[in-house]
Amino acid sequence: MTKAMKYREFFLSNGFYLLCIIVIVIFSCLNRSFFTIENFFSILLASAFLCATTAGVTPVIISGNMDLSVGSTALLCAGVMYQSFHLGMPDSVTLLLGILAGAVVGLINGILVAKLKFNSMVLTLGLQIGYRGLGLMLIGGTQVKLPEAFSVFGKKTIPGGLNVMVVICLLVMLVLHVILKRTKFGTYCYAIGCSETASERVGIPIAKVKIAAFIISGVCAALAGFVVISRLGIAHSYIGKKMEFDAIEAAVIGGISLNGGRGNLLPGALLGVFLIYVINNGLSIIGASEYVYPFAQGIIVFVAMYLDALKNFRNK
Amino acid sequence: MSNITKEFPGVKALDNVCLYAEEGRVLGLIGINGAGKSTLMNVLGGVYKPDGGTIELDGKEMIFHSPSDAYNAGIAFIHQEPQYFLSLTVAENIFISDLYMKNKVFTDKKKMMEEAEKYLSIIASNIRPDQLLENVAIGQRQVIEIVRALTAGANVIIFDEPTSSLGRQEKENLFKTINKLKAEGKIIIYISHYLDEIMEICDDYIVLRDGKLVNQGLISETDKSGLSNMIIGQKLEHLKKKSIDTRDRETVLTVEDIHYGNLLHGVGFELKKGEVLGIWGLMGSGRTEMIRAMLGLDRVPGGKAYINENGNKLPIKKNELLRKVGYITEGRHFDGLFLSKPVWKNVTSANLDAYTSKIFHMLNIKKEYEDTKKYIDLLQIKVPNAGVKMATLSGGNQQKAVFAKWICKGADIFILDEPTRGVDVGAKLGIHKIIRELASQGKSVILITSEADEMVDLADRVLILRGGKIISEQTGADINQKNLMMIALQGVSAS
Amino acid sequence: MSSETIRSSGGLLLSLREDNNKRINAMVGVVAVIVLIILALTVPNFFRMQNIVNVLESVSSVGFYSLGLTIVLVSGGIDLSVPGVIMAAACLGGSYMVHGGNWFVAFLMMLGLGILFGLINGLAVAKGKMIPFIVTLSTLVLSRGIAEYLSAAQTIYGLPDEFLALDTKIGIVPIGVIVFIAVAILLMVLLTRTRLGRTFFLVGENIETARVSGIKTDMVLFLSYLISGFLAGIGAVFLTARLGSATATMVGDTVTNNTIASCIIGGASLRGGQGNIVGSVLGLIFITIVDNCFNLLGIGYYVGMVFKGLIVALVIYIDVLRSKG
Ligand SMILES: Nc1ncnc2c1ncn2[C@@H]1O[C@H](COP(=O)(O)OP(=O)(O)OP(=O)(O)O)[C@@H](O)[C@H]1O
Ligand SMILES: [Mg+2]
C-alpha cells in the first residue's frame, strides 16, 4: 500500500519528465538518426528563438498578465532591422535598433496595461494585428532576401559546434531565471501575480514592475526575430506566426500558471520548449505525414497538461 | 482625524467623525456590524478617500492617495480580511515590502528566513518561515499579516479584528507584543467585537453607531456591560445554557477513518439527531481539514461516511454528502460568498432548486428577492436593500449573509465553522439562539469554534482533536472553559 | 484608478459595478451610434440595402461563435477552438457531400463534430482540471489539422443544391440570420431566467463557493463548452451554405479577435461571472460594421490591419472603464 502510494507519488511529481523521456525513447526506437548529437544540436537550433520568447513572456505571465503580441513584435523588429540594413547602417546599429523597437513595443503594452488598466490579453491580442501590419509594411513583401552579411551571424559557432544563437538564447533563459528567483523585481513579479490588492497594500510599485516585465518580453521577442532572420537569411511575412501561442504553450506545459504567481523557467519552461521541438523534429525524421503534426503536438500537450493538473490537484 | 465623512451609494458610512489617538496608548474602536469602523480605518489607511475631513499625523496634514502612501507615512494596517501571496514563502510574505538584499542585485533569502523565524516565534511558533503560504491553514494566516506589520516598524498600527482567528496562545502573545509597542510610544488602534479583549488591552475607547461617534472615554472608567450597552444601545440578556445528554439518541451521520496528510490519522465520529456537536482543538489541529476531507473538498484519500435513513446505515459518497449538508466555511471570501453578486443571489445560491420551476427550469426571481428580505430581517443584516452587491457589506454583515444562505437552504445537518466570526455582540446572541433552535427542531449541528465561551454556551457534546486523533469526548458540566483548554493543550482533563 | 473601488474587505477589485455598468453601457451605446452615423454619412454605399444585408449575414455566420463564447466567458473560461471547429465541421460535411453523401446526414455530421469538440474541451476543463486557454488552443490546432487533412488544402465546392438551399432568403432576410436571432433569444432566456443560466454566473464568479453551495460545478463547466461546440457546428452549417464551399481557411485569423472584443464590448469579462447575450450581439454588429466600412473605403490591407488593431484596443478600453467604476 505505502509502496504503491510512493510510486504514485513519484509518478505524479515527475510525470512531466517521464513524458519527455518516453517521447525521446519512442523516437529513438523509430529512427536511429534521432538520438544523435547532430540532431540534438539541430533541435536546439530550431528551438532557440522559442527559448528567447518563452523566457521573455514568463515574467509577464508570472506577474499575472499575458502578452500575445510577441510573434508580431518579432516580425516588426525583423522589419526594422531589414530597413536599417537597407539604409546601410552598421551591423551593431541595426541590431540595436531592432532591440530598441522591441523595447518600445513592450513599453507601449506595459503602459497601457499598468497605467490605463487594459486587460492585457485582449489588448495584446488587438495590438498584435497592428504590429503585424506595421511589420509587413516595413518588409514590404511576402519574402525578401537579406544581405549575405546578415546570415553570417546565424552561422557562427562556439568551439564544440554549438551555434552562437543557441548559446545566447539559453543564456537569456538562465539570466531571466535568476532574475525571477533571486531579485527584488522577480519576487515582486510573483507577488503581483498572486494578488494585486495585497501588493498594493504592502506598497509594491505595481505599475513599474508590470511595465518592466512587458519591456523584457518585447526585447526578447526582438531577439527572437533577429535569430529567425539571421538563421534563414530571409525575412518573410510568416515570421512570428503562432509564436506567441507556442511560447505560452511551452510555458504552461512547463508548469507556469496562466493565473500568475506560480512556476519556474528552469527546468520547466525550457523542457516545455524542447518537448514541442522534439516532437516536430522526431516526426520529420521518421517522415510522418504533415497532417500528423498537429495531432501529435495536440495530444502531447494535453497529456503534459493533464499530468500537471493531477499534480496541482493533489497538492491542494 | 477630524470631521471625516464618507458616503457610499445609499449609505452614509461615516458622518463627521473625529478621532484622536495618542502615542503610547491603545485606542479601542467598537460598534455594531456596519457601524463604520473598517471604513474609518480604510480612510486612515489610504484605501478610501474621504468625502470630507482631514487627517493629521504628528501635526502635519496628510492626504493619502493609495494604501502605499499611508504605508510610507508609517501607518501599518492589519485588515479585517487579509490578503496574502499564496505561492510565496511565509518569510517572503512577511518581508515583501522590505526585502533583505545581499547586495544591490540579489535578495538574501537566508537572512529573511532567520529574521522571519525570530519574529514568528514572538506570536506563533508552529509556522515555519520556509513554508509556502498556501500550506499554512487559513485560520493561521492572520498571524503573518500581524508579523508583517510588526517588522515594518510603523508608528501607527491599526488592528481590524486581529484575533478573530487566533488561538488562545497566539492571542496572549499578541497582547504582550501590543503592550511592548505601546511602551515604545506607538499609536495603536484596535477594533474588536470581543469586549474582554477591549477591556484587557485598550486604554481609551470610541463607540461608533450608524457612522456617527456616539460615545468615548477611558476604559478604566467603564466595564464590559457598560461597553455593550453603549454599542447596541440596550441591555444584553445572556443565553442560558441547557445541556442535553444526546449520547443515546439516534445517529444521523457516521464518519470513519479520515486521514489528511500529516494532520489527521484516522479520525471518525457519530453525529446524533438534534444535537450540537462541538469539535474543539487548538489552531492547526485539523478541525477544518476533517470537515473538508469528509465532504470531499480536498483530494485526500480515505474516509467513509454513512448516513442514517429510516434506521438503515447507508454509505454515502462525499459529494452527495456535500449537497445534503449546510456548510458555513471558515473563509467567507474564499468559498462562502459571491462578492460581486447582489445579496439576494447569494442568499438563494445554495437553494436554487426551491426556486426552479418543473418545466424549463425557470427561476422565480421575485420569490428569491422576497425570501431574501425575510432573512435580512431575521438576521438583522444591515443593507440598503437586497439588491446591493455583497462586497459592499461590512465584514460582520457578510458573515450574517453566509448564515442566511444556509438557513435558506434548510438542511438536516449543519456544519458551522466559526459561524460568528466578526459578528457583533448583539447579533452573535441572535445567531446562537438560531443554532439552539435548529437543534431543538431535530436538526444536527457540527460546531467548530475557537471561542471557548461559544462552545460552552452551545455544545451538547464536544470532541477534542489533538495530535491528529480525537482524544476525548466531553458532555454536560464537563464542557467548561478550563477543561476544554486543559485537554486541548495537555491531553488530560482538569478533573 | 482610484483605490476607492477596492473594498478593502472585499479584497477583490470590485466596485459598484452593476450601477456603473449601466452608465458605461449607455455610454458605449451612444458612442457606437455616433460612430455609425459618421460612417454612414462619409462612407459611400453604406446605406444600400445590399450592404446592410451583407453586414447582417457576416454577423450571423460567425455570430454563433460570439453567442457560445459569451456563455463560456460567463462561466469563467474561454474557448479559442471555435474557428478551427467550424472549419473542420465544414470540411467534413463538405467532403462528405461532394463524395455523394446525403445533405441531411452531412448536416448532422457537422453538428456532431461541433458537439464532439465541445465534449473534448468540456471534459478536459471540467474533469481534467486543465486550463481552458491551453485546452482550447490545442483543440484549435487539432481541428485546423483535421480541416486541412479533409480538404487536402483545397477548396471543396460543388455542394448539393439541397444544402445550399439553407442560404435562401425569406423576404430579404436569409434563413441563417433568422436562426441566429432565434438562438440568441433562446440563450438570452437561458442565461437570465433559468437555473442553469444562474449557475453559469455563479461558477464563473467563484467556483469554490459554488462547489460548497452544492452546485455541480463540473457539470456546469462541461455544459458551457458543450453549448459552445454545438453552436460552432450550427455556425459551420450556415457559413458553408452561404459561401457555397468549404476550405481550411474559411474562417479568418481576425475572427477570434473580433469575437472576444465584441463580447467584452457587450459586457462580458475575462474574469468570469459577467456578460450578456444582447450586449455581445450588439458588440459584434458594431465591430462588423467598422470592418465593413474599411472595405468600402478601400483602405490598404496592411494599413487596415494597423487601424483594426488600434480600434480593438480602444474598444476594450470600455472593459477598463467598467472595472474602474
Ligand atoms: N464599498 C462600499 N460600498 C458601499 N457601501 C459600503 C462600502 N463599504 C462599506 N459600506 C457600507 O458602509 C457601512 C459601514 O461599513 P464598515 O465596513 O465600516 O462597518 P464595520 O463597522 O467595520 O462593521 P463590521 O463590524 O461588520 O466589520 C456599512 O453599512 C456598509 O454596508
Ligand atoms: Mg469591519
Side-chain angles (χ1 to χ4, degrees):
Chain A
M1 170 68 188
T2 44
K3 200 153 196 186
M5 259 161 86
K6 257 194 195 133
Y7 282 131
R8 215 179 103 89
E9 195 84 343
F10 175 79
F11 178 71
L12 281 180
S13 43
N14 298 299
F16 178 53
Y17 306 114
L18 290 178
L19 179 71
C20 293
I21 294 174
I22 290 171
V23 170
I24 291 174
V25 169
I26 288 178
F27 281 129
S28 310
C29 292
L30 288 176
N31 192 309
R32 257 201 273 130
S33 54
F34 177 77
F35 201 72
T36 54
I37 284 285
E38 293 84 60
N39 194 42
F40 181 61
F41 277 7
S42 78
I43 291 177
L44 278 180
L45 187 59
S47 65
F49 80 94
L50 194 57
C51 281
T53 352
T54 307
V57 291
T58 297
V60 175
I61 298 180
I62 285 185
S63 57
N65 286 310
M66 179 84 86
D67 189 349
L68 292 179
S69 71
V70 285
S72 300
T73 309
L75 177 79
L76 176 59
C77 298
V80 169
M81 288 186 260
Y82 171 74
Q83 282 296 339
S84 133
F85 231 112
H86 257 264
L87 295 175
M89 301 280 183
D91 295 357
S92 53
V93 175
T94 295
L95 186 57
L96 217 67
L97 277 177
I99 300 283
L100 197 68
V104 169
V105 169
L107 184 71
I108 294 173
N109 291 342
I111 289 179
L112 290 176
V113 169
K115 292 282 186 200
L116 296 181
K117 315 278 173 186
F118 272 86
N119 175 301
S120 58
M121 186 171 130
V122 195
L123 176 86
T124 49
L125 197 62
L127 285 184
Q128 160 254 352
I129 311 175
Y131 297 147
R132 180 161 286 274
L134 274 179
L136 291 175
M137 277 195 262
L138 288 173
I139 292 179
T142 48
Q143 185 167 332
V144 288
K145 206 161 162 37
L146 293 171
E148 254 339 276
F150 216 96
S151 44
V152 171
F153 274 132
K155 303 234 156 53
K156 281 209 183 98
T157 57
I158 58 161
L162 200 52
N163 189 293
V164 175
M165 293 295 168
V166 175
V167 177
I168 293 176
C169 290
L170 288 178
L171 264 181
V172 166
M173 214 170 217
L174 181 68
V175 167
L176 275 172
H177 177 78
V178 173
I179 288 180
L180 279 172
K181 282 288 160 193
R182 304 234 69 117
T183 68
K184 214 177 214 176
F185 168 77
T187 314
Y188 284 171
C189 280
Y190 281 95
I192 295 171
C194 279
S195 163
E196 254 191 82
T197 328
S199 304
E200 189 171 356
R201 281 185 187 172
V202 298
I204 292 176
I206 299 178
K208 271 190 213 156
V209 174
K210 280 187 184 171
I211 292 174
F214 273 100
I215 291 179
I216 291 177
S217 174
V219 167
C220 288
L223 180 66
F226 173 69
V227 171
V228 172
I229 53 172
S230 64
R231 191 160 69 85
L232 298 178
I234 50 175
H236 57 72
S237 56
Y238 281 103
I239 291 176
K241 264 245 157 111
K242 301 280 161 295
M243 192 195 262
E244 57 275 358
F245 288 134
D246 280 346
I248 290 168
E249 204 166 281
V252 168
I253 57 183
I256 291 168
S257 160
L258 287 184
N259 294 326
R262 281 155 217 274
N264 300 317
L265 253 181
L266 296 178
L270 180 63
L271 283 179
V273 173
F274 276 166
L275 192 57
I276 292 178
Y277 274 88
V278 163
I279 296 165
N280 279 342
N281 172 283
L283 287 175
S284 82
I285 283 193
I286 63 171
S289 144
E290 62 176 302
Y291 298 120
V292 175
Y293 283 58
F295 291 94
Q297 192 171 338
I299 287 167
I300 297 281
V301 169
F302 252 87
V303 174
M305 258 179 10
Y306 187 60
L307 290 173
D308 192 50
L310 277 181
K311 195 165 86 184
N312 291 337
F313 207 60
R314 184 199 43 149
N315 283 341
K316 252 201 136 180
Chain B
M1 300 175 79
S2 29
N3 303 91
I4 302 287
T5 299
K6 174 82 199 170
E7 223 169 316
F8 294 114
V11 259
K12 195 151 198 180
L14 293 173
D15 189 0
N16 250 327
V17 177
C18 300
L19 175 147
Y20 177 75
E22 239 175 287
E23 283 178 6
R25 288 180 81 83
V26 182
L27 173 65
L29 185 52
I30 50 183
I32 57 168
N33 294 134
K37 305 179 296 291
S38 299
T39 308
L40 185 62
M41 289 304 104
N42 277 324
V43 169
L44 181 56
V47 180
Y48 295 150
K49 248 188 251 161
D51 298 333
T54 52
I55 303 171
E56 270 178 39
L57 196 63
D58 297 330
K60 276 200 298 286
E61 187 173 333
M62 313 291 276
I63 294 171
F64 302 135
H65 296 287
S66 71
S68 28
D69 281 358
Y71 183 90
N72 293 333
I75 297 175
F77 189 175
I78 292 149
H79 290 260
Q80 186 170 13
E81 317 281 353
Q83 290 270 318
Y84 314 95
F85 307 104
L86 285 180
S87 62
L88 297 186
T89 61
V90 168
E92 282 166 330
N93 263 280
I94 291 173
F95 293 108
I96 187 76
S97 37
D98 226 335
L99 295 167
Y100 281 96
M101 304 298 283
K102 258 194 210 129
N103 43 43
K104 277 239 158 60
V105 185
F106 294 114
T107 53
D108 191 345
K109 292 202 173 180
K110 215 171 118 221
K111 178 111 182 282
M112 274 196 275
M113 293 293 164
E114 287 163 7
E115 289 292 307
E117 180 97 62
K118 229 165 48 196
Y119 280 103
L120 276 170
S121 63
I122 301 177
I123 306 273
S125 43
N126 63 342
I127 302 177
R128 279 178 295 112
D130 58 342
Q131 245 175 325
L132 288 185
L133 196 94
E134 59 196 345
N135 298 331
V136 178
I138 295 182
Q140 287 193 297
R141 293 181 188 164
Q142 203 157 20
V143 171
I144 280 104
E145 180 133 322
I146 294 174
V147 174
R148 188 192 293 151
L150 296 182
T151 58
N155 285 325
V156 182
I157 305 174
I158 306 168
F159 294 90
D160 194 350
E161 300 190 26
T163 55
S164 60
S165 61
L166 291 189
R168 190 187 165 96
Q169 188 60 45
E170 286 92 353
K171 221 179 265 186
E172 274 172 23
N173 295 339
L174 174 67
F175 287 172
K176 267 187 226 149
T177 319
I178 290 181
N179 279 324
K180 216 174 90 210
L181 293 170
K182 194 170 114 180
E184 287 167 17
K186 315 245 172 188
I187 301 173
I188 292 162
I189 302 177
Y190 191 91
I191 300 178
S192 177
H193 290 294
Y194 300 114
L195 300 180
D196 292 325
E197 294 177 6
I198 300 282
M199 292 303 296
E200 184 180 340
I201 195 79
C202 298
D203 303 302
D204 313 295
Y205 66 86
I206 277 190
V207 187
L208 288 184
R209 197 186 306 142
D210 291 331
K212 292 193 199 63
L213 195 153
V214 292
N215 233 316
Q216 58 185 330
L218 294 172
I219 286 288
S220 53
E221 288 167 6
T222 181
D223 62 1
K224 208 174 132 187
S225 69
L227 285 181
S228 105
N229 284 347
M230 283 185 260
I231 291 172
I232 53 176
Q234 66 191 51
K235 258 215 147 51
L236 262 190
E237 84 233 68
H238 202 72
L239 188 70
K240 264 281 146 283
K241 155 147 204 180
K242 38 182 184 348
S243 207
I244 311 169
D245 193 348
T246 53
R247 274 173 296 181
D248 302 328
R249 290 203 181 163
E250 180 194 342
T251 304
V252 290
L253 172 71
T254 312
V255 181
E256 288 171 1
D257 198 32
I258 288 181
H259 290 264
Y260 198 107
N262 308 327
L263 212 53
L264 297 171
H265 312 288
V267 292
F269 60 88
E270 287 188 345
L271 179 66
K272 308 281 183 185
K273 195 174 165 67
E275 75 168 345
V276 178
L277 174 67
I279 311 279
W280 180 258
L282 297 179
M283 287 257 89
S285 59
R287 304 171 300 193
T288 301
E289 286 76 6
M290 178 169 92
I291 300 298
R292 289 185 66 86
M294 166 182 123
L295 297 175
L297 286 171
D298 298 321
R299 262 282 166 94
V300 286
K304 281 196 201 71
Y306 303 89
I307 203 125
N308 221 11
E309 260 166 27
N310 318 323
N312 303 322
K313 188 173 158 188
L314 307 168
I316 183 166
K317 278 206 217 114
K318 287 175 172 180
N319 53 2
E320 276 168 37
L321 183 60
L322 175 63
R323 261 168 232 128
K324 265 198 149 62
V325 303
Y327 178 27
I328 292 191
T329 53
E330 186 183 24
R332 55 183 170 244
H333 283 186
F334 175 65
D335 55 8
L337 293 169
F338 302 99
L339 287 172
S340 65
K341 293 279 169 282
V343 175
W344 63 274
K345 282 190 188 169
N346 273 280
V347 170
T348 58
S349 61
N351 194 27
L352 286 176
D353 284 335
Y355 302 96
T356 307
S357 68
K358 285 262 153 44
I359 35 167
F360 296 136
H361 286 236
M362 299 295 241
L363 287 170
N364 187 344
I365 290 172
K366 214 159 139 204
K367 182 150 173 275
E368 287 183 69
Y369 198 87
E370 291 306 318
D371 280 6
T372 303
K373 281 202 215 151
K374 244 173 37 202
Y375 294 111
I376 289 178
D377 289 342
L378 176 72
L379 291 165
Q380 296 164 355
I381 304 176
K382 193 187 164 206
V383 280
N385 59 60
V388 299
K389 249 198 286 181
M390 190 46 90
T392 68
L393 268 60
S394 80
N397 284 310
Q398 287 180 1
Q399 185 67 27
K400 292 186 211 165
V402 182
F403 206 80
K405 174 170 141 187
W406 292 111
I407 307 262
C408 175
K409 183 181 176 197
D412 285 332
I413 298 172
F414 284 92
I415 301 168
L416 314 177
D417 196 344
E418 308 281 2
T420 58
R421 171 177 291 173
V423 168
D424 69 48
V425 277
K428 185 185 260 174
L429 194 71
I431 290 183
H432 284 181
K433 274 190 191 143
I434 294 174
I435 293 176
R436 288 247 55 118
E437 213 166 277
L438 287 174
S440 62
Q441 286 165 7
K443 321 244 162 176
S444 308
V445 179
I446 298 175
L447 173 72
I448 299 176
T449 172
S450 318
E451 265 178 83
D453 282 343
E454 188 161 273
M455 195 55 102
V456 173
D457 282 352
L458 290 177
D460 298 312
R461 201 155 64 92
V462 177
L463 303 176
I464 297 170
L465 265 178
R466 186 181 146 85
K469 293 224 183 293
I470 291 178
I471 55 159
S472 154
E473 174 182 327
Q474 302 290 317
T475 51
D478 289 337
I479 305 178
N480 58 52
Q481 285 227 23
K482 197 162 142 221
N483 210 4
L484 292 180
M485 278 332 291
M486 283 290 282
I487 303 175
L489 277 171
Q490 290 155 16
V492 290
S493 78
S495 49
Chain C
M1 87 186 258
S2 101
S3 43
E4 313 213 350
T5 58
I6 305 163
R7 165 82 176 126
S8 78
S9 65
L12 294 165
L13 258 182
L14 297 168
S15 56
L16 285 170
R17 256 176 94 158
E18 230 119 28
D19 297 358
N20 270 304
N21 277 1
K22 280 196 194 112
R23 213 181 61 219
I24 288 162
N25 285 341
M27 216 171 76
V28 172
V30 172
V31 171
V33 168
I34 293 174
V35 170
L36 292 189
I37 290 175
I38 295 176
L39 287 175
L41 292 179
T42 52
V43 177
N45 292 338
F46 181 77
F47 266 130
R48 294 247 317 268
M49 209 56 204
Q50 189 49 45
N51 189 44
I52 291 178
V53 172
N54 276 351
V55 168
L56 279 182
E57 276 190 329
S58 48
V59 164
S60 72
S61 50
V62 291
F64 290 101
Y65 181 13
S66 144
L67 299 181
L69 186 67
T70 307
I71 292 191
V72 176
L73 284 174
V74 163
S75 59
I78 192 159
D79 191 347
L80 301 174
S81 70
V82 172
V85 176
I86 291 180
M87 294 189 288
C91 291
L92 178 69
S95 61
Y96 177 72
M97 284 187 280
V98 170
H99 291 98
N102 176 285
W103 74 272
F104 189 68
V105 178
F107 174 83
L108 292 181
M109 282 164 77
M110 290 161 93
L111 294 191
L113 194 73
I115 293 177
L116 178 69
F117 270 98
L119 211 85
I120 297 173
N121 288 335
L123 280 178
V125 172
K127 280 285 164 204
K129 312 284 173 220
M130 300 190 219
I131 305 152
F133 187 91
I134 302 293
V135 167
T136 55
L137 191 60
S138 310
T139 44
L140 173 70
V141 175
L142 262 175
S143 52
R144 271 224 191 99
I146 292 178
E148 264 159 31
Y149 175 71
L150 288 173
S151 65
Q154 305 285 315
T155 306
I156 302 173
Y157 59 92
L159 303 176
D161 291 340
E162 295 96 321
F163 185 80
L164 296 178
L166 285 171
D167 189 41
T168 41
K169 296 187 167 75
I170 298 177
I172 48 160
V173 192
I175 295 181
V177 175
I178 295 174
V179 172
F180 174 74
I181 294 172
V183 172
I185 292 175
L186 246 154
L187 288 179
M188 189 179 81
V189 174
L190 174 88
L191 215 46
T192 54
R193 294 275 143 181
T194 68
R195 191 202 146 102
L196 179 64
R198 175 72 59 78
T199 53
F200 282 142
F201 281 100
L202 297 183
V203 168
E205 156 127 16
N206 186 338
I207 194 164
E208 293 297 331
T209 308
R211 207 148 62 105
V212 172
S213 304
I215 292 168
K216 294 178 180 162
T217 50
D218 288 355
M219 195 52 162
V220 172
L221 285 178
F222 175 74
L223 283 177
S224 71
Y225 289 95
L226 198 65
I227 292 175
S228 176
F230 173 68
L231 290 176
I234 296 188
V237 169
F238 286 105
L239 186 64
T240 316
R242 187 163 73 87
L243 299 179
S245 64
T247 61
T249 54
M250 65 199 286
V251 183
D253 282 344
T254 53
V255 166
T256 310
N257 278 322
N258 286 356
T259 309
I260 295 179
S262 69
C263 290
I264 286 177
I265 301 172
S269 160
L270 292 164
R271 293 175 287 269
Q274 311 271 342
N276 69 83
I277 295 285
V278 180
S280 297
V281 173
L282 289 179
L284 186 61
I285 291 177
F286 177 73
I287 291 215
T288 313
I289 288 179
V290 172
D291 235 8
N292 172 267
C293 288
F294 278 161
N295 288 342
L296 292 181
L297 286 171
I299 290 179
Y301 181 64
Y302 297 154
V303 183
M305 272 174 99
V306 176
F307 269 115
K308 276 205 66 180
L310 287 179
I311 284 187
V312 173
L314 275 181
V315 149
I316 56 169
Y317 194 61
I318 295 158
D319 192 40
V320 179
L321 290 176
R322 246 190 227 125
S323 62
K324 215 169 168 180

